[in-house]
Every structure is written in C-alpha cells, then in structure tokens.
Amino acid sequence: MQKPPQPQDFALKETSPKIGAGSITGDKLSCAYDLVEQMQYLYVRVVKAKELPGKDVTGSCDPYVEVKLGNYKGVTKHFEKKSNPEWNQVFAFSKERIQASVLEVVVKDKDVVLDDLIGRVMFDIIDIPKRFPPDSPLAPQWYRLEDRRADKAKGELMLAVWMGTQADEAFPDAWHSDAATVGPDGVANIRSKVYLSPKLWYVRVNVIEAQDLVPNDKTRYPEVYVKVILGNQALRTRTSQSKSINPMWNEDLLFVVAEPFEEPLILTVEDRVGSNKDETLGKCMIPLQNVQRRLDHKPVNTRWFNLEKHVVVEGELKKETKFASRIHLRISLDGGYHVLDESTHYSSDLRPTAKQLWKSNIGILELGVISAHGLMPMKTKDGRGTTDAYCVAKYGQKWVRTRTIVDSFLPKWNEQYIWEVYDPCTVITIGVFDNGHIHGGDKAGGGKDSKIGKVRIRLSTLETDRVYTHAYPLLVLQSSGVKKTGEIQLAVRFTCSSLINMLHLYSHPLLPKMHYIHPLSVIQLDSLRHQAMQIVSMRLSRAEPPLRKEVVSYMLDVDSHMWSMRRSKANFFRIMGVLSGLIAVGKWFDSICNWKNPLTTILIHILFIILVLYPELILPTIFLYLFLIGIWNYRWRSRHPPHMDTRLSHADAAHPDELDEEFDTFPTSKSSDMVRMRYDRLRSIGGRVQTVVGDMATQGERFQSLLSWRDPRATTLFVTFCFIAALVLYVTPFQVVALLIGIYVLRHPRFRHKLPSVPLNFFRRLPARSDSML
C-alpha cells in the first residue's frame, strides 16, 4: 500500500552552503571548521591594568574597561578601590557588523553621577593582525593609556587584539556583539557549551535472608518484607513465605545510579502488622562507594550487615544497635550492561558502563550547525514577536549546545562539533530551542525554553566520507495539528577509520553481552530507563549554564511510551506496509493459478518442473533472484538521510480530538464526560485487538488439536492419513509427489470448485480452546 509523498514544504531539501575555507584561499584555514561557513571576528582580550591613578575624592579608583567599535560597546565588570585590577575577559565583534575603522579601548572610573575617563588605547582596524588556529594564541602586550588629547596618561593596560574565526579557542567564552542587548547576568545563558551525561550504573541488590529479627508482638508470626531506597527510587521485596524471625527472600532489586555517588542505599526490614500498618524491625545504610563493581555475570561475594533499630524515647529518636539482628545481601554495581537513558529506537550509544569493556572506535562523526531560517516567533517582547534560538545536539554521552543568537528568525551559528563513533547503528539527535532565560527569565522563575523542532540522523544511512548538506524542516506536532516552525541547515560527515572493523560490527550483538546472558525484563527496562532519564536531566540541569529539564526530556523522548491513537494507527499502517509485499505476491500467485495471463502461467509451469527435477537449483535460484532485486533497487536508493515523515506518522491526517487526547496531561485534566467518551473509544479499539489476538490463538490451538485427541474422530482421520501418506511417500519418489502437488495447485480454473478445499474444511472443523473461555 504505497502512501502518497508528504508535502514538499515538509520534505528535506539539498543545499549548497559556502562551507569550508570559502573565499579565504591560500590560508591554512581549510583544515579547521570545514563543515561550516567561516565567520570573521575581531577579538579583544582585556587582561589587566596597573598603576591606575585615583580619581575619587578619596584618591581611590573603581576601574572598568569599555571596548567600543562603532555602535557596539562591551563592558567588563568593575572593581572597588583597586589600582591593579585583573579582568581577563574576551570580546568578539562580528566582521559583518563592523562599520567603524577604529577600535577604542577605554578605562573608566565608576562614579555615582558621571564615570571619569582614566585613559584609552586606539587601534586602526586595518592594522589588526590575523590569527588562525592551530597557531598559538596571541601574546597580550602592555599599552600606555592616553587621554582625550592623545597625551600620555598615567597607567597601563594589557591587551591582545586580533582577527580570527569561530574556530578560535576564545570564541565560546567571548562576549559577542550579536548579543549586545543581553545584560551581564544573561551572558552566561547564551554561550556555547559542551556537557557530558553522568556515568550511569545499574545497582543490583540481591536480598537473601535476615536472621534473629525482634518483632514487638511476640504472639504472632511476622510477615516480613524488605524495602530498599536509593535517592528517589524505592523498591520492595515480596512478603517472605517463611513467617518466622529468620525470613528468606532471595530476590533481586535493580536501581540506576550516577557517578559521583551522592545517596547511600537504605534498607529497612518491615513487618506488616495490619492492613495499613507496617512496623520497622531494622534499618541499615550502605554507601555505594564501598560496593563491588563487576564486569561479567560471575556472582560477587555475599555479606552480612547489622540492622540498627530506631526507638522513640520520650519523644526523641534514638538509635539502638541490635547486633543480634542482621541481613544477608549480595550487592554489586553491574558494569557489563548498557544503561538505557534514551528511547531504544533512537539510541546514540550502546556501550557498557565499564570502560574496560569498550572496543576501539570505528570512526568519527562531524556536525556543522550552519543556520536556520523561517523560524516562528516563540514569544513577545516590547509588543513584537521574537525568537532567541540555540541548538542542542546529543550523541553518546556528549551533549553540545550552540550559542544563542538573540532576536533573529534567521540565526547563523556556524559551529562545528565532533564525536567518536563506536557503532554505526546509532542516531544523533539535534534539537532547536528558544532561550527563555536571557532577559531575567531566571529571576522571575518563569521562562521555559520552548521547543522549535528536532532532527534525527541515523549514522548507518550515511555514506562514508560524504558531506551531507541539507535543510531539515523543523516539525512540531501540536494539538492543532502538525506545524512547520522553520528549517535548520546542517552539514554532516561520517568518517570511518577502518571499513573492515565497521562491517565486522554488523555480526556483533547490538547490546553488551550481559543483556543476553542475564536479560532484564521489559517492565524492568522501562522503569529503569525512566529513572535513568530523570537522573540525566537532573544532573544536566545542575550544570552552569544549566541544560534545562524540558530540553533534556524533549531530546530523550521521555513521553514516547504514552498512548496515542495517531501513533497506534500509524504503526498499524506500518505493519500493513510491511505485509503488502507478501499480499502482492499472494495476489500474483492467485492470478497465475487462475490463468489470468496464460503465457506467464505456462512459463511458471516450466520453471516449476525444472526446479522439481533438479531440486539442487532451488536455493541458488532464490538467492540469485534476491541478488537481482538488490541490484535493481540500487538505482532507486535514497540520496539523502531519511527525515521525519508526516504521512508515515499520520500527523497530517489525525483528528483534532485524537491530538487533544495525545497532548492531555497524565493524569488527565479533562472533564469526566470527555474521559468517559475516550475510555469507551479505547475499549472498542481494545475489543477489536482482543478479537484478532483470539483468532490467532484459535488457529494455533487447531494445529495442536490435530494430534491431541481433543476431537477423537478428527485425530483418528489425521493419524490414518499420516500413516497412509508415509507409506505412499516411502515408495514414491519425492519429485513425483512434488510434481503432482504443484500441477494440482496450478490447475486450470475449469478444474476448480468455488467451495473451499478438503484440507481447509477439515482444519476449520478442528476444536480450539475458545469454548473453555469464560
């Protein structure tokens, strides 16, 4: 079932940006930053000053530096009463915006009414030297300050001034003239940064048994279970079957934890006294720093831990250690697993936790974030729509964030990043966001960073060493439908260090071997993934500047498991699309059997007779046919990486009510009537799914009842048929049997009946277990 292509506006567009060295030929610039357009910047590093004169009545000096270039002005922080201040701040002025011919660096004394001029240094733009990495940074020099009449003033200023590109080491931390409107407090929130996900471990707690517990009520059998808490994760064992003071469990509990370990493991042994009443029989705290790390499935040693009992004496909590009560545990940090913190369909990393188990990398991935255009206004400022856009890219444990381009619907970032690749069957995710924290959004406790859209690129769909330059549409699904919020222009290159190593990887399991030796259940994996996402988003939101929770959640697809009518329909049609090939083959074979095209049917007869007479040709023929199909499809191969498909996602045809349901909060915020209507609809869909599953089970049970004597007459008939068939096949050559069956199947329509065949009738009459269902 071929779906029509998606609208052109939502499709991927090939572009040809001026990336690489561009117009700067002959320089050694071509090796650095070759996936983005080169941007020229004038850099000014203000290091320190010495022997500044006092200007106040008190004879002291509160100095700061102003760097002026035409209409743009950058200001350092000021120091109280200091004649030898150190700033070490860098200012970057975009060459596109340089209209002045002179750079002015002014040292001023902060005053209540009017700031006094201490002195200044002037530079002609034309004389400023150029610097290209990997040259070493330019050494700063001392400059004598001059007053307004160009006479020597008291004091000296240490500066470095040079022309460079965005490849310069000073670029990420510089104050940018593009963001001149952002106050000094907001500058930290707009810089480009690289973040690392915390290293995640699975903690396995095997609760074996407890000994010599002391319940308060000695007259009853204790019903004991163990509760284990790690941070905000809490799990408990089942209640012990042995209702005694020496209960046994032998149960595994799994948690996710990030390095550095901040929270201890807290175990409490509890007795279920009443329906809603539990009594603590003992408690112990275990710091994770002391827990053994294991790399394989070999069990670690067990240990006995003493249980402490907390008693309340005269309203105060006192700790009473009962050395008699103890608990037997086996605890390990399992480094042989990969801790999933993102949706399994879009994993960017599949390596185990323990570094000792990592294989060597197979190549590198380079990403050039060039620009975006056609962005939508995401907020209003001074009565007009505005967007302060930045990009976040995540691959493996490394997250990168570009600088924020303030107040622009056509931002140009031209930043390039690089990652090591350990597996080609991984996905890089690039998201575009609007910065809600640069105009005091932090103080108001308000602003959130709004999502503009995201792009996913699977590395295995990229050819090696080819630079892909495409404009990707940024698509966001809202309750009103699918919406295009702009386009982002990227340049991507995947370079492979060894083709043999990469091809060899295709024979390896996708996940580390511990996932197959000691597999985790689907329910366990789901809850652990949710915990891992929470930990990653909490740790990254504590960085400076923070990578906020809403950004991390969107990049990691936190809500991908939520029910959605649209997604269910889309998945159903995906299955139908996969089965459509088999259905087409079935229809074609039916037309052959019905002699719709006699010539084709006769040719199939000839092929069939040849294959029956020479059965050794069957497998070579199948593989040759698959080879020819593959070669034939090569000319129709995709020339660009796949992208979000609105038709495939059923995003453009979804009913508004279905979208409203998809964007509803969890738990729901809708009225009871709306929830009742949706619940009834879900029940009707569930009923249809249940019927289909039941039908499949019925067919399977009919196969089982062929030999199970559930229907004695049917089984007698089938067993008798099997015995006769065995005798006939012993004396008849296989080729004759195959020939007779094939000719019978391909017989002419005039020898066919409209009624179903005898074997089908027999099969449909067999009993299934559906009659035993309540």
Side-chain angles (χ1 to χ4, degrees):
M1 185 163 79
Q2 192 66 38
K3 291 180 82 65
Q6 60 177 345
Q8 188 55 39
D9 196 35
F10 291 166
L12 204 62
K13 294 172 193 156
E14 190 138 11
T15 58
S16 11
K18 294 187 205 128
I19 61 173
S23 57
I24 312 163
T25 50
D27 283 321
K28 53 181 165 184
L29 198 62
S30 51
C31 60
Y33 271 52
D34 60 338
L35 289 184
V36 290
E37 293 177 30
Q38 295 294 342
M39 295 169 76
Q40 295 287 302
Y41 284 90
L42 165 59
Y43 289 99
V44 181
R45 182 186 291 279
V46 179
V47 184
K48 56 187 173 181
K50 67 179 180 185
E51 296 168 11
L52 297 179
K55 289 280 180 182
D56 293 349
V57 182
T58 57
S60 65
C61 166
D62 306 334
Y64 70 92
V65 176
E66 218 174 61
V67 182
K68 290 203 286 192
L69 186 66
N71 299 329
Y72 294 103
K73 181 170 74 175
V75 181
T76 66
K77 58 181 181 287
H78 84 279
F79 287 102
E80 298 282 339
K81 301 182 171 45
K82 206 164 189 187
S83 57
N84 297 314
E86 276 196 38
W87 293 281
N88 208 12
Q89 260 181 279
V90 181
F91 298 85
F93 297 87
S94 167
K95 194 178 179 186
E96 293 172 3
R97 303 191 176 189
I98 296 177
Q99 285 155 357
S101 57
V102 175
L103 170 73
E104 196 176 349
V105 184
V106 186
V107 185
K108 288 189 174 179
D109 174 35
K110 193 154 190 73
D111 215 333
V112 182
V113 186
L114 187 67
D115 297 348
D116 296 322
L117 174 82
I118 295 174
R120 62 183 181 176
V121 184
M122 313 277 276
F123 296 91
D124 277 336
I125 301 286
I126 204 157
D127 296 332
I128 290 172
K130 287 188 176 180
R131 182 216 159 204
F132 303 117
D135 283 358
S136 297
L138 201 67
Q141 299 172 217
W142 286 106
Y143 291 89
R144 289 285 320 202
L145 295 175
E146 298 174 349
D147 61 16
R148 283 204 172 84
R149 295 190 301 278
D151 294 335
K152 290 276 179 273
K154 199 173 175 212
E156 289 183 59
L157 183 62
M158 185 184 266
L159 294 172
V161 181
W162 72 96
M163 294 294 289
T165 66
Q166 76 269 41
D168 205 292
E169 296 90 345
F171 181 78
D173 294 322
W175 172 93
H176 285 273
S177 56
D178 308 13
T181 54
V182 178
D185 302 336
V187 168
N189 278 316
I190 65 170
R191 289 187 172 142
S192 54
K193 279 282 177 284
V194 172
Y195 302 83
L196 288 175
S197 286
K199 188 176 186 182
L200 299 173
W201 293 80
Y202 283 144
V203 182
R204 190 183 291 273
V205 182
N206 180 214
V207 183
I208 303 168
E209 59 183 326
Q211 263 184 10
D212 304 328
L213 297 177
V214 187
N216 290 351
D217 183 357
K218 306 277 194 303
T219 60
R220 50 180 283 282
Y221 292 115
E223 295 182 28
V224 187
Y225 66 89
V226 178
K227 189 160 85 180
V228 186
I229 297 172
L230 181 57
N232 60 357
Q233 305 167 70
L235 293 173
R236 48 165 288 182
T237 65
R238 60 184 182 277
T239 305
S240 172
Q241 297 297 310
S242 50
K243 297 187 174 179
S244 69
I245 58 165
N246 298 320
M248 292 193 69
W249 296 277
N250 201 16
E251 207 171 319
D252 265 0
L253 303 176
L254 269 176
F255 300 87
V256 181
V257 70
E259 279 191 80
F261 307 131
E262 294 174 349
E263 308 272 352
L265 202 62
I266 302 168
L267 285 94
T268 50
V269 180
E270 305 201 0
D271 181 12
R272 172 61 51 90
V273 183
S275 60
N276 265 341
K277 193 166 176 237
D278 297 323
E279 202 172 77
T280 302
L281 302 183
K283 184 176 186 178
C284 88
M285 289 173 70
I286 302 160
L288 289 174
Q289 286 83 344
N290 309 340
V291 170
Q292 191 175 335
R293 303 177 181 211
R294 66 173 189 169
L295 308 180
D296 49 25
H297 59 286
K298 293 186 184 115
V300 298
N301 297 329
T302 61
R303 273 184 66 192
W304 286 94
F305 291 89
N306 291 327
L307 290 169
E308 298 162 347
K309 184 153 186 190
H310 294 265
V311 289
V312 178
V313 182
E314 297 165 10
E316 279 187 32
L317 195 69
K318 299 227 171 149
K319 194 161 73 174
E320 179 193 316
T321 308
K322 292 272 182 193
F323 285 106
S325 300
R326 51 190 199 148
I327 189 164
H328 195 193
L329 304 171
R330 178 186 280 117
I331 306 177
S332 60
L333 286 160
D334 285 4
Y337 289 95
H338 168 68
V339 182
L340 292 159
D341 63 338
E342 50 199 341
S343 173
T344 39
H345 302 297
Y346 320 123
S347 281
S348 64
D349 188 15
L350 301 162
R351 289 171 295 168
T353 302
K355 251 186 169 162
Q356 300 94 304
L357 301 175
W358 289 5
K359 304 274 192 302
S360 57
N361 69 352
I362 54 144
I364 56 167
L365 169 68
E366 292 164 283
L367 172 73
V369 182
I370 301 171
S371 63
H373 57 272
L375 295 184
M376 309 285 284
M378 299 305 288
K379 55 180 178 264
T380 47
K381 185 181 167 234
D382 304 332
R384 63 183 183 83
T386 177
T387 297
D388 306 318
Y390 68 90
C391 286
V392 173
K394 184 216 188 282
Y395 184 77
Q397 291 179 329
K398 178 172 156 185
W399 299 65
V400 299
R401 169 184 176 155
T402 67
R403 68 194 191 285
T404 301
I405 306 289
V406 180
D407 193 12
S408 170
F409 300 133
L410 301 161
K412 282 188 176 183
W413 293 285
N414 284 309
E415 293 184 31
Q416 187 169 334
Y417 296 97
I418 187 167
W419 287 266
E420 286 184 310
V421 176
Y422 291 85
D423 195 314
C425 303
T426 43
V427 175
I428 180 170
T429 306
I430 301 110
V432 185
F433 300 89
D434 170 59
N435 196 329
H437 295 82
I438 53 178
H439 299 291
D442 275 341
K443 289 183 186 130
K448 275 196 164 188
D449 289 1
S450 323
K451 51 182 187 268
I452 299 175
K454 76 178 158 199
V455 174
R456 290 192 207 98
I457 302 169
R458 185 170 287 275
L459 270 58
S460 57
T461 61
L462 304 176
E463 291 171 26
T464 312
D465 292 327
R466 178 179 158 192
V467 177
Y468 289 85
T469 51
H470 288 94
Y472 292 81
L474 296 168
L475 305 174
V476 173
L477 188 66
Q478 298 173 335
S479 50
S480 56
V482 71
K483 190 174 176 186
K484 181 177 174 182
T485 50
E487 288 184 359
I488 180 169
Q489 191 168 25
L490 301 173
V492 184
R493 177 170 55 210
F494 171 44
T495 312
C496 170
S497 48
S498 163
L499 186 63
I500 302 294
N501 281 357
M502 185 165 75
L503 295 177
H504 181 53
L505 265 182
Y506 277 86
S507 65
H508 284 225
L510 205 57
L511 289 164
K513 66 179 181 183
M514 276 294 283
H515 285 266
Y516 306 98
I517 297 169
H518 273 289
L520 305 173
S521 71
V522 173
I523 294 166
Q524 259 182 328
L525 277 173
D526 269 357
S527 91
L528 291 168
R529 182 170 84 93
H530 183 70
Q531 292 298 342
M533 285 175 168
Q534 298 286 350
I535 291 169
V536 169
S537 90
M538 191 185 74
R539 285 283 175 97
L540 292 176
S541 66
R542 278 164 40 186
E544 191 53 52
L547 200 56
R548 296 179 190 280
K549 193 171 184 214
E550 60 270 22
V551 173
V552 177
S553 302
Y554 182 58
M555 295 289 285
L556 292 178
D557 288 288
V558 167
D559 301 329
S560 60
H561 63 286
M562 295 296 278
W563 154 259
S564 151
M565 177 79 90
R566 171 192 65 81
R567 212 177 277 136
S568 302
K569 276 185 186 172
N571 286 336
F572 171 74
F573 282 111
R574 281 172 65 201
I575 291 173
M576 293 307 294
V578 170
L579 296 177
S580 62
L582 292 174
I583 295 164
V585 169
K587 283 181 179 171
W588 171 80
F589 189 70
D590 190 54
S591 69
I592 295 291
C593 293
N594 286 309
W595 292 69
K596 295 269 171 69
N597 186 338
L599 183 64
T600 312
T601 305
I602 290 163
L603 288 171
I604 292 294
H605 271 83
I606 294 164
L607 178 66
F608 171 68
I609 291 164
I610 292 169
L611 291 177
V612 167
L613 295 176
Y614 303 99
E616 63 274 10
L617 294 178
I618 293 173
L619 281 176
T621 305
I622 290 169
F623 284 113
L624 182 67
Y625 185 57
L626 293 174
F627 167 76
L628 292 171
I629 291 173
I631 294 296
W632 176 257
N633 285 345
Y634 179 74
R635 54 197 288 208
W636 315 117
R637 73 192 186 284
S638 175
R639 304 295 165 123
H640 52 72
H643 184 53
M644 313 287 184
D645 189 332
T646 52
R647 287 273 151 85
L648 183 72
S649 319
H650 268 249
D652 51 353
H655 190 273
D657 180 57
E658 291 171 5
L659 290 173
D660 187 51
E661 180 183 22
E662 189 170 334
F663 286 94
D664 191 7
T665 53
F666 188 86
T668 183
S669 57
K670 300 293 177 187
S671 67
S672 55
D673 290 345
M674 177 71 81
V675 174
R676 186 181 290 116
M677 183 274 286
R678 286 178 180 168
Y679 175 58
D680 289 341
R681 180 171 67 191
L682 197 54
R683 282 171 66 194
S684 71
I685 293 165
R688 270 178 273 165
V689 171
Q690 176 183 295
T691 308
V692 171
V693 171
D695 289 345
M696 289 164 72
T698 298
Q699 306 309 331
E701 285 165 359
R702 281 176 177 161
F703 267 110
Q704 285 179 332
S705 54
L706 278 170
L707 292 168
S708 69
W709 297 91
R710 197 173 160 79
D711 176 344
R713 283 160 294 279
T715 305
T716 306
L717 281 170
F718 184 66
V719 168
T720 310
F721 167 76
C722 289
F723 181 69
I724 294 165
L727 291 176
V728 170
L729 291 171
Y730 265 121
V731 296
T732 318
F734 175 73
Q735 278 101 327
V736 175
V737 176
L739 209 58
L740 291 172
I741 292 171
I743 288 169
Y744 174 74
V745 170
L746 293 167
R747 69 195 184 282
H748 200 275
R750 101 172 33 142
F751 303 114
R752 290 175 188 277
H753 294 290
K754 293 283 183 198
L755 297 173
S757 64
V758 173
L760 199 59
N761 292 335
F762 178 74
F763 182 73
R764 282 179 180 163
R765 286 173 173 277
L766 290 168
R769 302 181 69 184
S770 44
D771 355 354
S772 310
M773 293 274 292
L774 276 171

